Amino acid sequence: MPHHKSAVKRIRTSGRDRNRNINVKSELKSLLKKAKETPANKEVMRDTVSKLDRAVRKGVIPKAVANRRKSRLALMVNRTTKAS
């Protein structure tokens, strides 16, 4: 148990942040899965990239992770558009 007021607050805020991070990561996983299923859908891609950038701004995922995922999505889109 925490003995100081600041420790109590840290427990409360870290719990809140952890829940937010879990929700954001879960939503990202769902969007990435949907984007992989339909790589030709530009609206899904735009939403996915936007959510990745927002997650970086919130500090949920590192910038390099978001950039790597966006790059892989772009490669998939380019492969499907060339194949069609």
Side-chain angles (χ1 to χ4, degrees):
M1 290 301 299
H3 295 290
H4 297 281
K5 191 175 182 182
S6 61
V8 172
K9 184 177 179 184
R10 284 307 312 158
I11 289 174
R12 192 170 58 242
T13 58
S14 63
R16 183 190 64 215
D17 293 346
R18 183 174 58 250
N19 288 334
R20 185 195 66 206
N21 291 345
I22 289 169
N23 290 335
V24 170
K25 285 182 181 184
S26 174
E27 187 178 6
L28 275 175
K29 286 178 190 177
S30 299
L31 279 172
L32 288 168
K33 186 176 179 182
K34 189 186 295 186
K36 287 176 186 175
E37 290 171 356
T38 58
N41 190 341
K42 293 186 181 194
E43 187 176 326
V44 173
M45 291 297 168
R46 189 172 34 244
D47 290 344
T48 305
V49 170
S50 174
K51 292 284 184 180
L52 283 167
D53 290 337
R54 196 170 301 145
V56 170
R57 277 198 313 270
K58 288 182 177 182
V60 177
I61 60 172
K63 188 175 183 180
V65 171
N67 288 340
R68 181 176 63 243
R69 290 180 182 168
K70 288 189 289 187
S71 175
R72 287 178 182 169
L73 282 174
L75 285 172
M76 281 195 319
V77 169
N78 290 336
R79 282 190 198 123
T80 57
T81 54
K82 288 181 183 177
S84 298

